[in-house]
Amino acid sequence: LVQLGRELARAEAEAADLPSELHEAAEAGDAGRVQVLLEGGADPALRHVRYGFRVPYDVAKTREVRNAFRKARAELPERWDWAAAHVPQGLTEQEEADREERERAKAREKKKKAEKARKERRKQEEAERAAAAALLVEATAGADLAALSASIEKAQGVGCDGAELERARERLAALQFEATDPAAIARREREKRAAAAEARLNRLTGGAP
């Protein structure tokens, strides 16, 4: 058992001493270093104890690094056991250029759609502001407290013109004052009574109702 333990320890030490530069470069995301190491003869199928006995491709964290392995496979198809190295189909420079162009085209299309959506959203917001402004003007000209208050809230929500909003607020304050001021209330009552008396007089004399 002692001998077996010594042999196991020696095997582990030898495994730890295996080259690890390709694993390190792949894990660090250094695609250029990966390419140099592969061109220099680093074995992509080597498994290392410090990396859980995984091959370098399996510890790669970026697309650029993975593509470096794939380009090496395309350029050096017979040098290594690429299947054992877990490196998928080789990637030529033309294939990479085509893929990058497809990605750029996809990004352009995405940007175009986003811009179209922004324009449509702005158009809808402008229409909502115009409708709210028209209601605000109409309510400001009237004497309906509830309608004016609601139109002010709506206009604020869609970002209507500040000057028009200020006029509406002033009108709202005036209406609120009239609704609670004793003198204003008395005046309205007098006006109602006068209107009613005039209506009765018109009926008695055969005038317009």
Side-chain angles (χ1 to χ4, degrees):
L1 289 176
V2 173
Q3 181 64 27
L4 180 61
R6 288 175 180 171
E7 291 178 356
L8 181 60
R10 185 170 58 253
E12 289 178 348
E14 291 175 355
D17 288 337
L18 289 171
S20 61
E21 291 87 352
L22 191 56
H23 285 82
E24 293 167 1
E27 186 180 50
D30 191 341
R33 179 65 176 159
V34 167
Q35 182 179 351
V36 169
L37 289 169
L38 288 170
E39 291 174 351
D43 184 359
L46 181 68
R47 296 175 180 271
H48 203 286
V49 63
R50 284 197 282 113
Y51 291 88
F53 292 100
R54 291 180 294 170
V55 293
Y57 185 86
D58 288 344
V59 302
K61 295 180 179 178
T62 67
R63 175 186 291 179
E64 289 75 13
V65 170
R66 290 190 289 271
N67 284 347
F69 280 100
R70 294 183 62 194
K71 285 188 282 187
R73 176 171 181 170
E75 295 169 1
L76 308 167
E78 305 300 328
R79 177 176 290 186
W80 305 107
D81 185 347
W82 295 104
H86 294 178
V87 178
Q89 182 180 357
L91 179 68
T92 65
E93 290 186 2
Q94 183 59 49
E95 288 172 338
E96 185 178 23
D98 291 343
R99 178 186 58 76
E100 291 176 352
E101 178 55 34
R102 287 194 299 272
E103 290 182 352
R104 284 193 293 269
K106 187 183 296 184
R108 288 194 296 269
E109 183 63 23
K110 183 178 180 180
K111 183 178 179 181
K112 183 179 178 181
K113 288 181 179 179
E115 181 60 27
K116 181 180 179 182
R118 281 194 295 271
K119 288 181 178 179
E120 290 177 350
R121 187 165 57 252
R122 284 196 297 269
K123 184 177 180 180
Q124 181 179 355
E125 290 171 353
E126 289 170 0
E128 290 177 353
R129 277 194 295 272
L135 287 175
L136 187 64
V137 170
E138 181 181 349
T140 302
D144 188 328
L145 268 170
L148 182 54
S149 180
S151 67
I152 290 174
E153 183 177 354
K154 176 65 174 178
Q156 287 175 329
V158 297
C160 282
D161 179 64
E164 192 59 49
L165 271 169
E166 186 59 30
R167 285 192 290 273
R169 293 190 189 101
E170 291 174 357
R171 174 60 173 161
L172 179 63
L175 289 175
Q176 289 171 335
F177 176 78
E178 290 179 2
T180 57
D181 179 58
I185 294 173
R187 185 181 66 251
R188 286 197 299 274
E189 288 300 322
R190 288 195 301 270
E191 290 172 352
K192 287 180 181 179
R193 287 196 296 271
E198 183 179 358
R200 286 196 301 272
L201 180 60
N202 285 333
R203 285 196 296 273
L204 291 172
T205 59

